[in-house]
């Protein structure tokens, strides 16, 4: 089956780095994604990584992919209060833009 | 990425009535749109895949006669919750399929059935 697991909650202090982890099971996924959801809103695509890459950096965001362990992480440098949200990882499955979403990690940034 | 809107953003209705939610792709022609349901503090549950000009593909356990989906054009898909009941109260989100197998999401519609 296709299960994407994340830890439920992460709390960091403003200015620190945040690392959100995700494990997935479908080794045939072509792309993996990170989405951000603020309260009462839809999901915002933050970044994605092609499955043959190990790392992708985009400003404060760094994505690491370990295909052997089926582990994906999102590092947010210099975390700000505006980064407080729920973060979902997702993998492409079966083509046709169909995605399987993780359980979501709530990030809380404290002053 | 694609810009996606949903209307209404929030709706309250009486039990037994039907509610229509619109999903529009504002700057992108979408052959495929997706409808999700999200319960508080939970992940997204895919309800159906909406294909322009053809019947929607529903996920297992989703009643197609209760959740009617119409994708009549490349920019509009609608979800109609028929004979709504309090247990249908939820956050409904649509998305549009984009490049690199991504999805771009609308802002969601909060449905409350009294």
């Amino acid at each position: 089956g296709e299960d994407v697991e994340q830890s439920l909650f992460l709390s960091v202090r403003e200015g620190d780095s945040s690392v959100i982890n995700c494990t997935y099971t479908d080794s045939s996924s072509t792309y993996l994604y990170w989405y951000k959801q603020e309260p009462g809103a839809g999901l915002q695509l933050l970044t994605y990584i092609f499955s043959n890459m190990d790392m992708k950096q985009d400003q404060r965001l760094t994505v690491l992919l370990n295909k052997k362990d089926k582990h994906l992480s999102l590092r947010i440098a210099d975390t700000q209060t505006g980064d407080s949200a729920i973060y979902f990882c997702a993998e492409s499955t079966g083509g046709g833009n169909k995605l399987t979403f993780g359980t979501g990690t709530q990030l809380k940034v404290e002053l | 990425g694609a810009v996606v809107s949903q209307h209404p953003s929030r709706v309250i209705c009486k039990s037994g009535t039907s509610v229509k939610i619109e999903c529009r792709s504002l700057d992108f022609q979408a052959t495929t749109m997706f409808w999700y349901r999200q319960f508080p503090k939970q992940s997204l549950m895919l309800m159906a895949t909406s294909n322009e000009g053809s019947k929607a593909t529903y996920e297992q356990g989703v009643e197609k006669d209760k959740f009617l989906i119409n994708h009549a054009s490349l920019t509009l898909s609608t979800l109609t919750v028929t004979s709504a009941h309090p247990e249908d109260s939820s956050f409904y989100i649509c998305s549009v399929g984009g490049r690199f197998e991504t999805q771009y999401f609308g802002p969601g519609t909060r449905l409350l059935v009294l």
Side-chain angles (χ1 to χ4, degrees):
Chain A
E2 303 153 354
D3 285 317
V4 184
E5 300 286 339
Q6 299 177 237
S7 53
L8 287 178
F9 192 77
L10 175 66
S11 179
V12 300
R13 296 175 82 166
E14 189 177 39
D16 289 350
S17 292
S18 308
V19 179
I20 303 170
N21 295 300
C22 171
T23 57
Y24 60 98
T25 56
D26 188 354
S27 58
S28 65
S29 294
T30 308
Y31 294 95
L32 295 116
Y33 313 83
W34 283 103
Y35 284 86
K36 175 184 180 183
Q37 185 180 33
E38 298 188 38
L43 276 69
Q44 173 195 356
L45 177 64
L46 289 177
T47 187
Y48 64 91
I49 187 168
F50 190 50
S51 59
N52 70 351
M53 295 171 64
D54 298 323
M55 185 185 87
K56 180 179 181 181
Q57 186 155 0
D58 185 0
Q59 299 183 338
R60 291 192 297 124
L61 305 179
T62 303
V63 179
L64 296 178
L65 175 60
N66 181 329
K67 279 198 77 173
K68 175 174 168 289
D69 295 336
K70 298 192 185 71
H71 184 263
L72 182 74
S73 68
L74 175 69
R75 178 177 181 269
I76 305 172
D78 187 24
T79 312
Q80 302 297 307
T81 54
D83 295 324
S84 292
I86 300 176
Y87 290 80
F88 291 95
C89 64
E91 58 177 348
S92 59
T93 49
N97 291 95
K98 196 168 182 179
L99 303 181
T100 299
F101 285 87
T103 47
T105 299
Q106 178 153 9
L107 174 64
K108 182 178 179 182
V109 182
E110 298 175 324
L111 296 172
Chain B
V3 179
V4 183
S5 70
Q6 280 185 243
H7 178 79
S9 58
R10 191 181 289 261
V11 58
I12 301 172
C13 70
K14 292 182 179 179
S15 188
T17 61
S18 294
V19 175
K20 182 186 281 188
I21 302 170
E22 292 185 349
C23 177
R24 290 184 185 274
S25 177
L26 299 181
D27 60 351
F28 185 81
Q29 292 191 323
T31 55
T32 305
M33 291 185 177
F34 301 87
W35 286 96
Y36 292 87
R37 184 173 179 175
Q38 186 180 32
F39 291 103
K41 299 195 185 301
Q42 292 192 25
S43 189
L44 285 76
M45 184 192 84
L46 178 65
M47 299 175 66
T49 303
S50 167
N51 302 296
E52 188 266 338
S54 64
K55 291 183 179 180
T57 303
Y58 289 81
E59 294 299 303
Q60 194 172 7
V62 178
E63 298 177 60
K64 61 182 180 182
D65 294 331
K66 179 158 183 67
F67 298 100
L68 299 178
I69 291 172
N70 184 281
H71 190 162
S73 77
L74 289 172
T75 58
L76 174 64
S77 176
T78 60
L79 168 68
T80 301
V81 183
T82 61
S83 187
H85 290 283
E87 58 265 30
D88 298 325
S89 298
S90 194
F91 192 54
Y92 292 87
I93 314 176
C94 71
S95 69
V96 166
R99 294 180 65 198
F100 306 113
E101 300 180 27
T102 56
Q103 291 182 24
Y104 296 96
F105 285 81
T109 297
R110 176 82 53 196
L111 170 63
L112 177 61
V113 184
L114 302 176

